[in-house]
Amino acid sequence: MKREYYSNSINQFINSSSNEVLGELTKNSDFDLGQSQRDIWMEEISILQRVLVGYSGSVYFEYSIPRMGKRIDVVLIIGAAIFVIEFKGGEKEFSSTAIDQVLDYCLDLKNFHSSSHNNFIVPVLIATKAENVDPIIALTPQNDRLLFPINSNIETLKNIIDNVLIFIDGAAINIKEWEGGRYSPTPTIIEAAMALYNGHSVQEISRSDAGAVNLTKTSEAISEIIKSSRSKSKKSICFVTGVPGSGKTLVGLDIATKHINKDEDLYSVFLSGNGPLVAILREALTRDKVRHERERGRKIKKGEAMSDVKVFIQNVHNFRDDCIEDKKPPIEHVALFDEAQRAWNLQQTVNFMQRKKGLPNFSQSEPEFLISCLNRHLDWATVVCLVGGGQEINTGEAGISEWIECLNRSFPDWDIYISSRLTDSEYGAGKILSKIQSHKNVFEKDELHLSISMRSFRAENVSLLIKQLLDININEAKKTLSEVESKYPIVITRDISIAKQWLKKQARGSERYGIVVSSSAERLKPHAIDVRSPMDPIHWFLDGKEDVRSSYYLEDVATEFHIQGLELDWSCVIWDADLRFTKNGWDYRSFVGNKWNYVKKMERQNYLKNAYRVLLTRARQGMVIVIPFGDSEDPTRNPDFYDVTFNYLKSLGFKII
């Protein structure tokens, strides 16, 4: 696959006319070009043809960065270095946004381009009208051969290239091997949603190792079930399970984008009961659509863009309410329910319908009603349940068992597709599954389980480590930690200010970081953390470093309800006294009035444990866990409440900072 609009050896590039190079760029461009873009390219060509005289290597214009949906202005390979060059024509200053932009490009190559992993990568930001530039050449603290961004103007560029080549060491990069490198991105769910909505396939934006093959096979297996159901006029339901971050939501979005046309009988809808996730994805897709249209010279109002996005991603409760009012079959034959384990049980649904909807005789759980809506179709329908193990975090969330029970009870003719892993303990469905194994319409497909985390691209076993930590499997957790920590740093501390410093030091470019806490962490107020204080997840997840409402400011915090289904690059998890380690297992507490009370109900204990499971599996690249010291003068923050948990984590081998 050719990723750039133009490439050549430096020698041939210098000896080509600027019009030849421009013609190649124009021919390979995939968007309508205005005169301004041609002028920009002509200036870049002119600058580089003067500067690169005397060097050998290769030059690449408009090199694609698939995960980010953008292109690098110029990549130069000279000697042992990969120069990533971003031009800012007519600019006199080096903005922090532009510096992050060129660094982000380099991080993408470093993390996801196989033949760039171990090479020196040099970000260079050129402000063509800048004066008095003092370039600094140095490696970033991570010591992974990535240099700090270097500010340059036209006059200093040649000197920068010379000094970088003196600064680094190593053999010259093999050009053919570099060009043949595989690009294996691991996008965030927000990036993935934007890419899929813009017409990319799941294969294009996901890793190409065994995990990505599994992801592709899962998507293909669901597509086959849908097509088979349609051709045979059958009703079917399939349960997609997976570890945190394995790509369940990504699979659902992939299916939804394949069948986004209302005029097709395979038309599908992506449904989620996760309010923050729906709001964030809608806003991200809307902003992205407006930006793309403006880049093409077309004006579009944000409201117009949002109306299209809302049809693509819907809140499951709105879908449910529409089906209550309209008794006809929904327009969609395929419904994909994200985080299906969070659907409401019978009691929660009945109470809500009576209290909020004025329906005193409602008698179905949310899973049963949702299936019944698709069952209204006379010909065929498919329901896809995307299920996270151990992810139920709120009162009334039924888990997967209610889906199984209502199928067994009310929909005996439906085909049921499961993976063999649905019987694992965290899904809580084993006993119920045993009741329907003899059912003629139950089919096992191992492709419906996603076993490898795509979120923590630095270490696949982070979710396993957290499971072992919470299950108090000490020896197993120690072993897994020893395998994870070299690629995925996890540190612990007692000091929040130290944790904040660590986050800022680890993150490079626009890598997102933030603080997450349990929604029942009521005694973090002395640390200026109030879990009841309202925060806007859209601003927290999508806005930049300049916005005080963003995660970057480390002021507002997200709870498990805000962050489930989403992720950060680096996270700070602050652990309160609501979940305490003891020699007899975990001690579960809730803060009421002025004291901590025992949580006695097993269901609520599971919610609290799962809250920490969610919080501890949100980071893509690493995390710091803070267990405060407590305060001997505050009976609600007795140091004993915190010391035992800190000592437990310390005993597992987590590094202390």
Side-chain angles (χ1 to χ4, degrees):
M1 175 184 175
K2 190 175 178 66
R3 298 198 175 279
E4 67 281 356
Y5 288 169
Y6 170 89
S7 61
N8 218 327
S9 69
I10 289 176
N11 184 56
Q12 289 180 310
F13 165 67
I14 291 171
N15 291 315
S16 299
S17 72
S18 55
N19 284 329
E20 284 180 295
V21 179
L22 179 62
E24 191 73 13
L25 282 165
T26 303
K27 182 180 71 174
N28 293 320
S29 172
D30 56 6
F31 55 88
D32 295 333
L33 295 176
Q35 188 59 45
S36 62
Q37 181 61 60
R38 291 185 174 88
D39 291 343
I40 289 169
W41 281 340
M42 285 296 281
E43 182 181 23
E44 293 172 3
I45 293 165
S46 176
I47 292 169
L48 292 176
Q49 284 185 331
R50 294 196 308 271
V51 169
L52 295 178
V53 173
Y55 297 106
S56 61
S58 291
V59 58
Y60 308 82
F61 278 79
E62 300 292 331
Y63 188 87
S64 173
I65 297 290
R67 187 181 72 94
M68 300 172 69
K70 296 182 179 179
R71 290 182 175 273
I72 302 171
D73 285 345
V74 176
V75 174
L76 296 175
I77 297 182
I78 304 175
I82 302 168
F83 292 87
V84 174
I85 299 178
E86 178 65 21
F87 284 91
K88 296 300 178 185
E91 293 293 328
K92 297 180 179 180
E93 305 293 335
F94 301 93
S95 71
S96 59
T97 301
I99 291 170
D100 282 348
Q101 180 185 2
V102 69
L103 187 50
D104 285 345
Y105 291 154
C106 294
L107 287 166
D108 251 60
L109 288 175
K110 173 64 67 178
N111 291 329
F112 305 122
H113 186 236
S114 62
S115 51
S116 296
H117 289 330
N118 300 314
N119 288 311
F120 287 99
I121 304 181
V122 187
V124 180
L125 177 62
I126 301 175
T128 59
K129 299 298 183 182
E131 300 177 359
N132 302 319
V133 177
D134 184 20
I136 298 173
I137 298 172
L139 290 168
T140 58
Q142 287 77 3
N143 199 29
D144 57 359
R145 297 194 168 193
L146 175 60
L147 275 66
F148 278 112
I150 303 170
N151 295 337
S152 174
N153 58 22
I154 298 171
E155 288 74 27
T156 57
L157 180 56
K158 185 175 182 65
N159 190 46
I160 287 170
I161 294 173
D162 288 338
N163 287 333
V164 166
L165 296 176
I166 294 169
F167 178 79
I168 67 175
D169 55 12
I173 294 170
N174 184 306
I175 300 296
K176 286 189 176 180
E177 287 184 5
W178 186 84
E179 290 179 346
R182 177 177 289 176
Y183 197 95
S184 306
T186 304
T188 66
I189 189 59
I190 294 170
E191 292 167 337
M194 289 191 293
L196 290 168
Y197 193 64
N198 287 320
H200 295 278
S201 69
V202 70
Q203 293 94 330
E204 291 178 281
I205 60 168
S206 61
R207 280 163 36 184
S208 301
D209 55 13
V213 170
N214 182 238
L215 192 68
T216 304
K217 286 184 177 179
T218 302
S219 186
E220 290 173 349
I222 296 170
S223 291
E224 286 303 312
I225 291 169
I226 293 171
K227 291 174 183 176
S228 174
S229 299
R230 179 185 62 172
S231 64
K232 298 177 181 178
S233 294
K234 301 279 288 185
K235 309 279 178 62
S236 62
I237 185 169
C238 53
F239 295 94
V240 179
T241 54
V243 300
S246 58
K248 298 179 293 294
T249 300
L250 180 55
V251 167
L253 290 170
D254 183 50
I255 297 296
T257 51
K258 286 177 181 175
H259 309 300
I260 202 169
N261 189 342
K262 284 185 177 182
D263 297 328
E264 295 179 355
D265 59 353
L266 288 176
Y267 179 60
S268 62
V269 60
F270 181 87
L271 302 168
S272 176
N274 184 336
L277 177 67
V278 171
I280 290 164
L281 289 182
R282 283 178 169 178
E283 178 69 17
L285 293 179
T286 299
R287 291 183 185 184
D288 189 57
K289 186 170 184 177
V290 170
R291 179 178 64 83
H292 276 298
E293 292 300 316
R294 285 177 178 169
E295 287 175 353
R296 297 183 177 101
R298 305 170 191 159
K299 290 186 177 180
I300 182 174
K301 292 183 178 179
K302 186 177 179 181
E304 180 185 347
M306 178 65 83
S307 64
D308 293 335
V309 171
K310 282 184 175 180
V311 175
F312 172 54
I313 298 176
Q314 295 185 32
N315 189 298
V316 67
H317 298 138
N318 294 340
F319 178 85
R320 175 202 63 199
D321 293 348
D322 287 344
C323 289
I324 289 173
E325 295 178 10
D326 188 346
K327 304 302 182 183
K328 297 192 299 292
I331 184 175
E332 305 89 355
H333 277 72
V334 180
L336 304 115
F337 294 103
D338 194 31
E339 296 178 16
Q341 75 282 351
R342 297 188 63 187
W344 290 346
N345 60 25
L346 178 62
Q347 181 179 352
Q348 184 79 0
T349 310
V350 169
N351 290 344
F352 174 84
M353 291 299 180
Q354 183 169 352
R355 190 175 69 255
K356 296 291 187 179
K357 300 296 180 182
L359 299 174
N361 299 317
F362 201 87
S363 60
Q364 293 176 302
S365 66
E366 197 166 45
E368 185 167 2
F369 179 71
L370 293 171
I371 296 174
S372 74
C373 295
L374 275 295
N375 197 50
R376 295 173 187 174
H377 286 289
L378 298 178
D379 46 2
W380 72 280
T382 299
V383 171
V384 180
C385 292
L386 309 169
V387 183
Q391 301 283 294
E392 302 88 356
I393 58 175
N394 206 2
T395 302
E397 293 178 356
I400 199 62
S401 60
E402 175 56 28
W403 289 89
I404 301 296
E405 281 189 329
C406 73
L407 284 164
N408 199 28
R409 179 176 63 244
S410 304
F411 307 98
D413 296 330
W414 277 56
D415 290 345
I416 303 172
Y417 293 88
I418 62 172
S419 85
S420 57
R421 297 291 295 275
L422 193 56
T423 58
D424 286 2
S425 60
E426 60 260 44
Y427 299 107
K431 293 181 180 179
I432 297 164
L433 279 175
S434 64
K435 297 179 181 179
I436 62 169
Q437 284 302 310
S438 59
H439 196 291
K440 65 178 181 178
N441 294 336
V442 177
F443 308 96
E444 280 194 7
K445 282 186 173 289
D446 285 337
E447 299 94 327
L448 298 180
H449 182 74
L450 297 163
S451 60
I452 297 177
S453 175
M454 303 291 285
R455 174 179 298 132
S456 307
F457 61 86
R458 293 194 180 279
E460 296 165 347
N461 290 326
V462 173
S463 60
L464 174 62
L465 170 63
I466 299 308
K467 182 179 187 300
Q468 292 165 342
L469 181 158
L470 292 173
D471 289 347
I472 316 182
N473 292 330
I474 294 175
N475 292 332
E476 292 88 343
K478 286 181 177 179
K479 180 181 177 183
T480 305
L481 177 60
S482 68
E483 297 168 352
V484 163
E485 60 186 350
S486 63
K487 295 181 179 179
Y488 184 99
I490 307 177
V491 297
I492 58 175
T493 185
R494 311 302 298 269
D495 191 320
I496 293 176
S497 63
I498 290 176
K500 290 181 178 180
Q501 293 169 11
W502 185 87
L503 278 183
K504 293 177 180 178
K505 184 178 178 180
Q506 296 299 319
R508 295 179 287 186
S510 63
E511 289 177 343
R512 185 168 289 274
Y513 52 85
I515 299 173
V516 296
V517 301
S518 160
S519 60
S520 57
E522 296 273 1
R523 293 307 298 139
L524 296 179
K525 284 184 180 180
H527 303 286
I529 294 173
D530 185 355
V531 294
R532 297 193 177 186
S533 177
M535 59 84 82
D536 188 328
I538 289 176
H539 294 298
W540 200 84
F541 276 102
L542 297 182
D543 290 346
K545 296 176 181 178
E546 73 287 348
D547 195 313
V548 297
R549 299 166 296 181
S550 75
S551 66
Y552 292 115
Y553 256 75
L554 301 177
E555 293 182 2
D556 291 334
V557 301
T559 71
E560 68 273 17
F561 298 116
H562 300 122
I563 203 168
Q564 188 174 44
L566 293 156
E567 61 256 301
L568 299 164
D569 286 295
W570 303 89
S571 72
C572 171
V573 182
I574 304 181
W575 199 310
D576 201 8
D578 51 339
L579 185 66
R580 309 172 193 174
F581 180 79
T582 74
K583 62 181 179 180
N584 297 318
W586 292 108
D587 189 2
Y588 304 88
R589 302 290 183 115
S590 66
F591 194 79
V592 180
N594 65 349
K595 65 179 181 179
W596 291 103
N597 292 332
Y598 284 103
V599 175
K600 297 180 180 179
K601 289 186 177 181
M602 183 67 70
E603 182 183 49
R604 290 188 60 209
Q605 290 181 4
N606 285 335
Y607 292 149
L608 182 53
K609 187 175 180 181
N610 287 341
Y612 276 87
R613 190 191 313 276
V614 168
L615 298 174
L616 292 164
T617 54
R618 294 306 100 185
R620 289 158 53 83
Q621 302 200 52
M623 66 177 156
V624 53
I625 303 171
V626 182
I627 301 93
F629 282 110
D631 185 346
S632 59
E633 296 182 358
D634 181 350
T636 69
R637 296 190 298 127
N638 188 319
D640 291 343
F641 299 168
Y642 301 91
D643 291 346
V644 285
T645 303
F646 180 81
N647 290 331
Y648 169 56
L649 297 184
K650 178 182 174 182
S651 74
L652 296 179
F654 289 107
K655 179 183 175 183
I656 301 172
I657 60 169

